[in-house]
Amino acid sequence: MTAYRWTLLACFALTWIWAAIDPVYPHDWLLENYLVMLSVPIILIWGRYFRLSDISYTLITVFMMMHVAGSHYTYAETPFGYVLQDWFGSDRNMYDRFVPFCFGLLIAYPFRELLLRIAQTTGFWGYFLPLNLVISAGAIFELIEWKVVEKVDVAAGVAYLGAQGDIWDAQKDIAVAMIGAFIALTIVAAFNWRYDPNFWKEFRSSLHVPPSDHPLGEISFRRLLKRHAVRKQGKKER
C-alpha cells in the first residue's frame, strides 16, 4: 500500500461513512452495500498478491464512491440525477443511467489490465474481451437485482431496482455500460495507436491463424480419449 493508495482508501471510507449516516431508505442502503462489503475486502486482500496499477485503483475507487453515494439517496432520487435530467430533458432521474454508464467507462480499463496480465491477451482481444466482460458483469448484476427484488418487501425492492417505471430498464443499463466501456477502450486504443509503433502489427497478428492451428470439438475429444486409453493400458501392463 503506497501513500496514494491509502489516500484512495481513505476517500472511499469517508464517502461510505457519509452514505451510511441516515440514508433516505435504510433497507435499500443495505441492499446496495452487500456487494460493496463483499468486493472491497476481496480487492484489498487480492492486492497483496496481484497489484493493479494506480490508474485502475483510481477508476475502481471513483466508481465505488459513485455507487455508495447513490445508495444514500437511492439511484432514483440522487440530487445529481435531477441535474442530469434537466440537461438531457428526460422524464426520469438520470443517475440510474449515469452510474451504469460510468461502470463501463471506469471499469473497462481494470478489466483490460487483468486480461492483459493474467490471460496474456494481445491486440484486438485486449479491447474486445474487456468490452465483453463489462457487458457480462452488467447482465449478472441485473440478474442479481431480479432475484433480490423477488425476496425483499415491495418498498425496498422498488427503491433498489430504480427502474422508475421503465420496463426496459435492465436492458438500457447494460447498453449504457457497453457504450461507456466502448468509449474507454477507444481512448486506450487511440493512445496506444499514437505512442506504440507496434500497435497495428500486434493488432493484426492477434487475428492471424497460425499454420499449426486445428479445430477442437470432436477432434480434441478424440485425442483426449485416445491419450486416456493409452494411459489406462499402460497402467494395466504395469
Side-chain angles (χ1 to χ4, degrees):
M1 288 288 288
T2 62
Y4 179 74
R5 292 170 188 170
W6 277 115
T7 302
L8 291 177
L9 184 59
C11 289
F12 171 76
L14 291 173
T15 305
W16 189 84
I17 292 170
W18 163 80
I21 298 174
D22 194 24
V24 176
Y25 295 101
H27 292 300
D28 176 65
W29 177 89
L30 185 60
L31 291 174
E32 296 283 6
N33 279 273
Y34 277 134
L35 288 178
V36 173
M37 289 183 276
L38 176 66
S39 60
V40 170
I42 290 175
I43 293 171
L44 292 174
I45 294 170
W46 195 20
R48 294 175 59 86
Y49 307 97
F50 183 84
R51 295 175 185 172
L52 295 171
S53 64
D54 283 348
I55 291 176
S56 288
Y57 284 128
T58 302
L59 296 173
I60 292 170
T61 302
V62 171
F63 172 74
M64 298 291 281
M65 290 170 65
M66 293 173 58
H67 173 71
V68 297
S71 74
H72 179 81
Y73 299 102
T74 78
Y75 274 31
E77 297 182 24
T78 301
F80 182 60
Y82 292 117
V83 175
L84 294 173
Q85 181 178 345
D86 292 337
W87 289 356
F88 289 94
S90 175
D91 58 353
R92 58 176 283 143
N93 186 301
M94 291 294 288
Y95 199 75
D96 184 51
R97 291 280 180 267
F98 181 63
V99 174
F101 170 79
C102 288
F103 173 75
L105 186 70
L106 300 174
I107 303 302
Y109 185 83
F111 278 167
R112 171 177 158 81
E113 184 173 352
L114 285 172
L115 288 167
L116 262 61
R117 293 173 59 190
I118 296 179
Q120 302 294 308
T121 55
T122 59
F124 169 78
W125 306 107
Y127 303 96
F128 179 73
L129 294 180
L131 178 65
N132 277 264
L133 270 182
V134 168
I135 297 170
S136 299
I140 290 170
F141 181 75
E142 296 298 336
L143 292 174
I144 292 172
E145 277 193 338
W146 162 43
K147 298 309 294 183
V148 168
V149 170
E150 281 191 337
K151 300 297 182 181
V152 301
D153 65 84
V154 175
V158 170
Y160 178 67
L161 194 61
Q164 303 178 62
D166 188 350
I167 62 171
W168 304 110
D169 181 68
Q171 290 86 345
K172 290 177 181 178
D173 284 350
I174 296 171
V176 295
M178 179 180 67
I179 293 170
F182 183 82
I183 292 172
L185 294 168
T186 300
I187 292 172
V188 174
F191 183 87
N192 288 328
W193 182 18
R194 173 66 178 82
Y195 294 102
D196 184 359
N198 295 318
F199 174 80
W200 281 116
K201 180 180 179 181
E202 182 181 293
F203 199 91
R204 287 192 298 269
S205 66
S206 69
L207 298 172
H208 175 69
V209 180
S212 60
D213 178 74
H214 58 80
L216 298 176
E218 70 283 355
I219 297 174
S220 178
F221 294 147
R222 287 169 187 164
R223 289 179 177 175
L224 288 173
L225 291 171
K226 185 177 180 180
R227 290 173 187 169
H228 175 73
V230 170
R231 288 196 300 269
K232 190 175 181 180
Q233 183 63 34
K235 289 180 180 179
K236 286 182 178 179
E237 292 176 355
R238 287 197 296 270

